[in-house]
Amino acid sequence: MLEVIGITKNEIIDRNITIADAKSNKYLWYWVDINEPNEDEIQLLSTEFNFHPLAIEDCLEYVQRPKLDYYEGYHFLILHELNKLDLDETELDIFVSDHYVITFHIHKSPIVQLVLDNIMSDRRASKSPLHLTHRIIDELVDSYFPLIYRLEDELSDLEIDPLRKQVNNAVERLYDTKSDLSKLRRTILPTRDLLYRILNSNRFKDISEHRIYFEDIHDHLMKLSDMIETNRDLASDIRESYFSLSSEKMNNIMKTLTIISSFFLPLTFIVGLYGMNFHYMPELAWKYGYLFILILMGFVTILMYIFFKRKGWF
């Protein structure tokens, strides 16, 4: 599906025009959004806009990292949107020149749709192709913050009181959170590098006029990067705490079982001694022998209990 917007020299925005109209002298520059394209719309990348085959290949095949490529007459940006539920990545491709912005995405893009919905009232986004590019990237980066805030809340919940949580379930949740942080990291760090290249490139015409806007995005990405690293360290600390807690519980259980076993060692010895089948054992004929052995076993048990208690093993 195509959405074509033309901006005149007087900054009047016309929507629902054709590509041919957008290329006319009436418009200073234009924006074409190619959303969930069919085969004919994909062919426009080569037939109508004459983009480089490598750039078109990147549009059609998923690229794992955001990146920026320079071509003759235009720049090509690959960005990643993240699904709010599972943080799955979807690709957003942007072609930028002095006269147009072409956005291409095989899947629906909430970010592009948001900018499209607000284009009539957003005067800054309609000033130039770079302003529009900034607006799209800015909305994209802002969408990362709720995701990392959600992961921070998850880590805070795991950190507050580990004694109330089942260790196995908590560790499983912790690994899921670390996996989500890694997904964010794989997207945010390359995007930060992409913004750094834009800010320090001489290939973007009049970048100095837009520097303050792109620097703001770069600052947000630096903040996100720091938050990710901080939370990854926190996740590692929480994991170590859970493992230490689990080891401590296991040690206490083993200590308790060992102490219980220790009580039965002398009792087993006494019972085993008098359970031997020798015919001549003086105590076997004693009238009070059985009672004496019971008293002896009770005395040994009490004595061991007092000893363990004084040692602090109980």
Side-chain angles (χ1 to χ4, degrees):
M1 184 175 67
L2 292 180
E3 176 88 20
V4 185
I5 298 174
I7 294 88
T8 67
K9 295 178 181 179
N10 297 324
E11 297 187 2
I12 297 174
I13 303 172
D14 291 338
R15 303 191 67 161
N16 301 322
I17 63 176
T18 65
I19 296 178
D21 291 336
K23 288 186 172 183
S24 66
N25 294 331
K26 178 181 177 181
Y27 298 103
L28 183 63
W29 64 279
Y30 58 91
W31 176 18
V32 178
D33 179 52
I34 306 176
N35 173 30
E36 296 181 301
N38 54 36
E39 287 298 324
D40 292 336
E41 291 167 343
I42 292 174
Q43 290 299 319
L44 292 175
L45 296 176
S46 57
T47 58
E48 190 69 36
F49 302 109
N50 197 30
F51 292 138
H52 196 282
L54 290 178
I56 297 175
E57 181 181 343
D58 285 342
C59 288
L60 301 179
E61 296 182 3
Y62 177 73
V63 178
Q64 292 186 343
R65 294 171 62 88
K67 70 172 187 175
L68 168 64
D69 288 331
Y70 301 110
Y71 292 97
E72 186 66 31
Y74 62 91
H75 314 293
F76 178 53
L77 292 81
I78 297 178
L79 302 169
H80 285 169
E81 288 188 62
L82 297 175
N83 185 282
K84 293 182 179 180
L85 297 178
D86 53 16
L87 298 185
D88 282 347
E89 303 164 341
T90 56
E91 188 174 308
L92 171 61
D93 305 305
I94 306 176
F95 298 88
V96 186
S97 80
D98 297 337
H99 304 294
Y100 60 75
V101 173
I102 311 297
T103 51
F104 181 93
H105 41 101
I106 295 177
H107 305 283
K108 288 184 178 180
S109 169
I111 299 302
V112 173
Q113 190 59 50
L114 177 63
V115 178
L116 277 171
D117 293 340
N118 297 325
I119 191 66
M120 301 300 292
S121 59
D122 192 346
R123 306 308 302 175
R124 183 162 60 83
S126 61
K127 288 180 66 176
S128 72
L130 269 182
H131 276 96
L132 176 61
T133 303
H134 161 266
R135 172 57 71 192
I136 294 172
I137 299 176
D138 187 42
E139 292 291 347
L140 181 66
V141 172
D142 286 346
S143 70
Y144 297 153
F145 279 98
L147 304 179
I148 197 167
Y149 289 150
R150 187 185 74 197
L151 297 179
E152 280 189 335
D153 292 340
E154 180 75 12
L155 287 175
S156 296
D157 180 60
L158 290 170
E159 183 187 26
I160 288 174
D161 192 358
L163 294 176
R164 295 181 181 178
K165 301 176 177 64
Q166 292 293 329
V167 172
N168 290 338
N169 293 336
V171 171
E172 184 176 347
R173 287 172 57 194
L174 187 61
Y175 276 113
D176 290 340
T177 303
K178 286 199 69 174
S179 176
D180 289 340
L181 283 170
S182 296
K183 289 181 181 179
L184 274 171
R185 190 173 185 268
R186 286 197 303 269
T187 296
I188 289 174
L189 266 60
T191 306
R192 181 193 64 186
D193 296 339
L194 184 150
L195 263 293
Y196 180 83
R197 289 185 63 191
I198 291 177
L199 288 169
N200 293 275
S201 173
N202 295 322
R203 302 195 182 193
F204 280 88
K205 185 179 178 181
D206 300 327
I207 186 63
S208 59
E209 298 179 9
H210 310 83
R211 178 175 296 277
I212 188 172
Y213 301 112
F214 285 100
E215 283 180 346
D216 180 66
I217 299 177
H218 187 260
D219 289 342
H220 288 173
L221 288 166
M222 291 294 292
K223 180 179 179 181
L224 285 167
S225 301
D226 291 341
M227 293 172 69
I228 288 175
E229 297 305 324
T230 299
N231 283 286
R232 280 168 58 87
D233 291 340
L234 177 60
S236 297
D237 292 342
I238 295 174
R239 182 190 62 184
E240 294 300 324
S241 297
Y242 274 109
F243 285 160
S244 298
L245 178 63
S246 179
S247 298
E248 183 180 358
K249 287 183 177 180
M250 183 60 67
N251 290 337
N252 288 334
I253 292 172
M254 294 303 297
K255 182 176 71 174
T256 302
L257 293 176
T258 302
I259 291 174
I260 293 174
S261 301
S262 299
F263 279 113
F264 284 95
L265 284 175
L267 305 183
T268 303
F269 171 76
I270 295 173
V271 171
L273 178 66
Y274 286 97
M276 293 186 295
N277 293 321
F278 292 107
H279 182 70
Y280 297 103
M281 293 183 67
E283 291 84 358
L284 291 179
W286 186 25
K287 180 180 179 180
Y288 300 104
Y290 177 71
L291 179 62
F292 172 76
I293 292 301
L294 289 180
I295 294 173
L296 176 63
M297 292 169 66
F299 176 75
V300 170
T301 302
I302 294 173
L303 190 65
M304 291 182 66
Y305 175 81
I306 294 173
F307 174 77
F308 290 147
K309 191 72 172 178
R310 288 184 176 179
K311 288 290 186 179
W313 296 351
F314 273 121

